[in-house]
């Protein structure tokens, strides 16, 4: 299988800087299923073409497999289109060979990374089965701004009446960033092929969101893309759609530049600072060293936790990629953080089990649960308490009884994105039920000034895994 990328510019050989592959050399990269070769068929000041040739080992593809011939055709595993069709094998090769370019890094020419370039990509043997192949190909790439040319391949050139095969040559032309072009190909070629040569799980979902972050949510075929990329696994596809939708609707509840009504009400009593301090103190008192902030927002709790050297690993996760980017920028500027060493950020949803979050000593859910529909709290319970099972879990949420002291009308909530706000009795009933069902002990503490009748503005529950619990949740 062959992919070529052509840049028309001055000097066009700058393409070599972006791809981190010198135009005057041929480079080869061994892969588990063959070898990827990178070379430049042309490299002039006006036009430069880089080629990625993937040389497959057909026998190596099936060596060690036990399922060949399972459908009754003994040679099926050996006689197929896998060595030639543009598929997940090509996507893996793209990531392996052009990974730095796909991530948008180029230290020698950083100006080129963000600049739209006159680029053309040509891919041979693009598969799209089931008829209407050209229409499907256009529906995927034209909304991304490309001029799309598709050449259908006949089933047999000697017999034109037999019609076209499911294989096409694809040419894309547009003014785009190289990072965008490579990410589009990385995701969409396996979508057209509708196959994956490896196991598809939660990691694949996160790869899709990472590579499709800048374009997938606006794509008119996004549901079709998600379904096929995740190999028709309904649970993963539903999770991906929910993450994308949540990212679109996520309110900027943690913005220091523009305060919400909730923040304005709480500001005179420094409630947010008291809340974060109370959570940080509870995590420290637990003796935890590896901690999670689930629903970390713009990273205010993270920036407080990094100042305590007791915590050797601190991970923040949030459903909003844009909010995580703000957290990243602030943490990178924080000399205490050691970003990338002690502190990491993850994009994901706490409503679904995530193996990346396993094995932590403690976790925090700070003003998070009230943003979730009540009927979906059982998903949070299963994912966090049932599967992750941190030794200590600290949860805070507003106390509805205190709202009257903020001058709020009956039934009004502190933030428009809150799905509910509980009284102390309601919160304690929920927390005790969760603790009993999942083998935790739970205690409660007020946060903020305590009114004799209304209680405190924030209520906090600290869950501790019971000493008799010996279970480990599944990833």
């Amino acid at each position: 299988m062959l992919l070529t990328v052509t840049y028309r510019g001055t000097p066009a050989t700058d393409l070599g800087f972006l791809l981190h592959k010198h135009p005057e050399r041929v480079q080869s990269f061994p892969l588990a299923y063959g070898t990827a070769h990178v070379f430049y068929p042309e490299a002039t000041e006006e036009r430069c073409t880089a080629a990625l040739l993937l040389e497959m080992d057909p026998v190596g593809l099936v060596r060690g497999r036990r399922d060949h011939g399972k459908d009754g055709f003994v040679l099926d595993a050996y006689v197929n289109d896998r060595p030639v069709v543009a598929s997940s094998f090509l996507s893996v090769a793209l990531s392996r060979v052009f990974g730095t370019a796909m991530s948008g890094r180029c230290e020698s020419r950083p100006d080129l990374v963000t600049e739209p370039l006159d680029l053309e990509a040509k891919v041979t043997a693009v598969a799209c089965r089931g008829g209407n192949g050209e229409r499907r190909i256009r529906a995927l790439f034209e909304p991304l701004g490309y001029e799309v040319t598709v050449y259908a391949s006949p089933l047999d050139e000697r017999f034109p009446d037999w019609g076209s095969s499911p294989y096409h040559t694809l040419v894309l032309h547009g003014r785009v960033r190289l990072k965008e072009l490579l990410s589009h190909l990385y995701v969409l070629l396996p979508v057209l092929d509708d196959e994956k040569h490896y196991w598809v799980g939660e990691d694949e979902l996160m790869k899709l969101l990472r590579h499709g972050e800048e374009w997938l949510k606006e794509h008119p075929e996004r549901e079709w893309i998600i379904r096929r990329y995740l190999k028709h696994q309904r649970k993963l596809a539903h999770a991906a759609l929910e993450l994308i939708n949540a990212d679109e609707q996520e309110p900027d509840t943690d913005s220091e530049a523009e305060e919400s009504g909730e923040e304005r009400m709480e500001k005179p009593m420094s409630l947010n600072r008291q809340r974060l301090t109370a959570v940080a103190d509870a995590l420290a008192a637990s003796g935890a060293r590896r901690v999670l902030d689930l629903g970390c927002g713009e990273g205010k709790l993270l920036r407080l936790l990094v100042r305590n050297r007791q915590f050797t690993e601190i991970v923040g996760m949030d459903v909003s990629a844009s909010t995580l980017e703000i957290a990243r920028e602030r943490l990178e500027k924080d000399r205490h953080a050691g970003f990338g060493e002690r502190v990491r950020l993850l994009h994901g949803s706490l409503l679904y089990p995530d193996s990346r979050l396993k094995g932590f000593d403690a976790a925090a859910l700070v003003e998070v649960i009230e943003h979730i529909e009540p009927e979906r709290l059982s998903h949070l319970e299963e994912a966090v308490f049932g599967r992750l099972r941190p030794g200590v879990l600290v949860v805070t949420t507003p106390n509805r009884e205190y709202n009257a002291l903020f001058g709020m009308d009956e039934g009004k909530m502190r933030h428009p994105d809150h799905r509910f706000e509980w009284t102390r009795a309601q919160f304690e009933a929920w927390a005790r039920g969760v603790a009993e069902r999942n083998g935790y002990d739970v205690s409660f503490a007020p946060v903020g000034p305590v009114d004799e009748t209304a209680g405190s503005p924030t209520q906090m529950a600290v869950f501790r895994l019971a000493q008799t619990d010996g279970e480990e949740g599944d990833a």
Side-chain angles (χ1 to χ4, degrees):
M1 58 194 75
L2 177 67
L3 162 68
T4 61
V5 177
T6 300
Y7 170 42
R8 297 177 182 87
T10 306
T13 49
D14 279 347
L15 181 63
F17 288 107
L18 283 172
L19 292 175
H20 298 263
K21 304 292 181 289
H22 199 287
E24 295 181 3
R25 291 202 296 268
V26 176
Q27 294 179 260
S28 298
F29 303 85
L31 303 170
Y33 46 83
T35 305
H37 307 281
V38 178
F39 57 95
Y40 289 76
E42 58 180 340
T44 67
E45 287 292 301
E46 295 78 26
R47 181 183 169 98
C48 184
T49 298
L52 171 61
L53 175 65
L54 187 54
E55 192 176 23
M56 304 285 285
D57 175 9
V59 177
L61 291 178
V62 295
R63 187 177 290 121
R65 283 178 49 182
R66 299 180 180 178
D67 59 344
H68 44 279
K70 64 180 181 180
D71 296 325
F73 179 33
V74 177
L75 296 179
D76 178 66
Y78 296 94
V79 183
N80 56 55
D81 63 5
R82 294 301 86 189
V84 294
V85 74
S87 63
S88 58
F89 289 107
L90 183 56
S91 287
V92 171
L94 274 173
S95 179
R96 166 76 172 85
V97 176
F98 296 141
T100 305
M102 288 178 64
S103 66
R105 298 197 308 273
C106 182
E107 294 181 4
S108 55
R109 290 296 306 276
D111 55 305
L112 288 175
V113 172
T114 58
E115 182 181 345
L117 305 175
D118 184 2
L119 296 174
E120 180 181 282
K122 182 177 181 180
V123 191
T124 59
V126 174
C128 191
R129 299 168 182 82
N132 297 316
E134 179 176 347
R135 182 183 63 81
R136 273 297 185 187
I137 292 171
R138 290 186 179 279
L140 289 189
F141 288 100
E142 286 181 344
L144 298 171
Y146 294 104
E147 177 186 328
V148 180
T149 305
V150 181
Y151 302 98
S153 300
L155 279 173
D156 193 317
E157 293 180 354
R158 298 171 299 173
F159 303 99
D161 292 342
W162 288 6
S164 298
S165 74
Y167 308 110
H168 306 75
T169 296
L170 169 64
V171 181
L172 303 174
H173 180 256
R175 194 161 188 85
V176 295
R177 293 179 294 164
L178 179 64
K179 171 188 174 182
E180 294 172 330
L181 173 62
L182 296 177
S183 293
H184 296 156
L185 294 171
Y186 178 89
V187 172
L188 297 179
L189 291 178
V191 167
L192 287 166
D193 182 50
D194 201 21
E195 265 293 344
K196 286 285 176 72
H197 69 278
Y198 52 84
W199 170 254
V200 172
E202 293 172 9
D203 290 346
E204 198 71 0
L205 186 156
M206 292 306 164
K207 278 194 284 184
L208 172 62
L209 295 178
R210 184 169 68 252
H211 289 288
E213 181 178 358
E214 297 182 2
W215 56 273
L216 183 56
K217 67 182 180 182
E218 303 294 340
H219 200 292
E221 297 288 338
R222 71 177 183 180
E223 293 187 17
W224 193 75
I225 293 170
I226 290 169
R227 186 170 64 251
R228 289 169 71 105
Y229 187 87
L230 296 173
K231 211 169 180 179
H232 302 274
Q233 295 193 41
R234 292 184 179 180
K235 186 175 181 180
L236 289 178
H238 179 76
L241 282 169
E242 186 166 85
L243 285 167
I244 291 171
N245 290 332
D247 195 15
E248 290 176 337
Q249 301 165 6
E250 186 73 15
D252 189 8
T253 60
D254 199 21
S255 173
E256 295 175 355
E258 184 177 346
E259 294 177 329
S260 67
E262 180 182 12
E263 290 169 328
R264 284 193 295 273
M265 287 186 296
E266 297 177 350
K267 193 169 185 178
M269 62 177 67
S270 301
L271 181 58
N272 190 47
R273 170 55 84 176
Q274 293 184 59
R275 184 163 50 227
L276 296 177
T277 300
V279 172
D281 288 347
L283 293 173
S286 73
R289 298 178 64 79
R290 303 176 67 234
V291 296
L292 294 168
D293 182 6
L294 301 174
C296 64
E298 296 177 4
K300 289 185 177 180
L301 177 62
L302 299 175
R303 300 200 301 275
L304 186 59
L305 295 176
V306 296
R307 283 158 173 75
N308 187 338
R309 304 305 297 185
Q310 170 186 325
F311 303 120
T312 58
E313 184 178 1
I314 304 166
V315 172
M317 188 186 78
D318 203 272
V319 73
S320 171
S322 57
T323 301
L324 281 175
E325 189 57 35
I326 296 172
R328 183 184 306 279
E329 291 175 1
R330 293 176 179 173
L331 287 163
E332 286 177 343
K333 295 175 183 177
D334 192 329
R335 62 184 179 86
H336 298 281
F339 188 73
E341 299 172 4
R342 292 175 64 215
V343 183
R344 291 185 295 127
L345 296 175
L346 300 175
H347 185 214
S349 171
L350 52 83
L351 296 180
Y352 298 93
D354 191 330
S355 58
R356 299 174 299 172
L357 308 179
K358 287 278 292 180
F360 282 78
D361 304 323
L365 289 163
V366 181
E367 307 297 283
V368 169
I369 62 171
E370 63 272 12
H371 292 270
I372 300 170
E373 296 290 350
E375 62 270 17
R376 305 216 65 202
L377 288 176
S378 60
H379 296 288
L380 178 146
E381 179 182 340
E382 179 186 358
V384 178
F385 291 88
R387 298 292 188 91
L388 299 182
R389 303 187 69 75
V392 170
L393 188 63
V394 183
V395 180
T396 73
T397 193
N399 171 19
R400 190 178 79 194
E401 297 166 85
Y402 202 92
N403 289 354
L405 299 183
F406 285 128
M408 296 173 59
D409 295 335
E410 179 69 25
K412 188 175 182 181
M413 297 191 196
R414 297 186 198 177
H415 193 282
D417 189 60
H418 286 184
R419 302 301 191 258
F420 63 86
E421 287 177 1
W422 278 334
T423 64
R424 287 168 291 174
Q426 289 172 319
F427 179 54
E428 289 187 14
W430 174 80
R432 293 189 192 282
V434 169
E436 182 178 350
R437 287 189 293 271
N438 295 280
Y440 280 83
D441 298 321
V442 63
S443 59
F444 302 92
V447 178
V450 178
D451 179 80
E452 185 175 339
T453 302
S456 61
T458 293
Q459 42 193 339
M460 182 171 76
V462 180
F463 298 83
R464 294 178 177 82
L465 198 58
Q467 293 297 318
T468 56
D469 187 276
E471 300 175 0
E472 292 186 4
D474 297 329

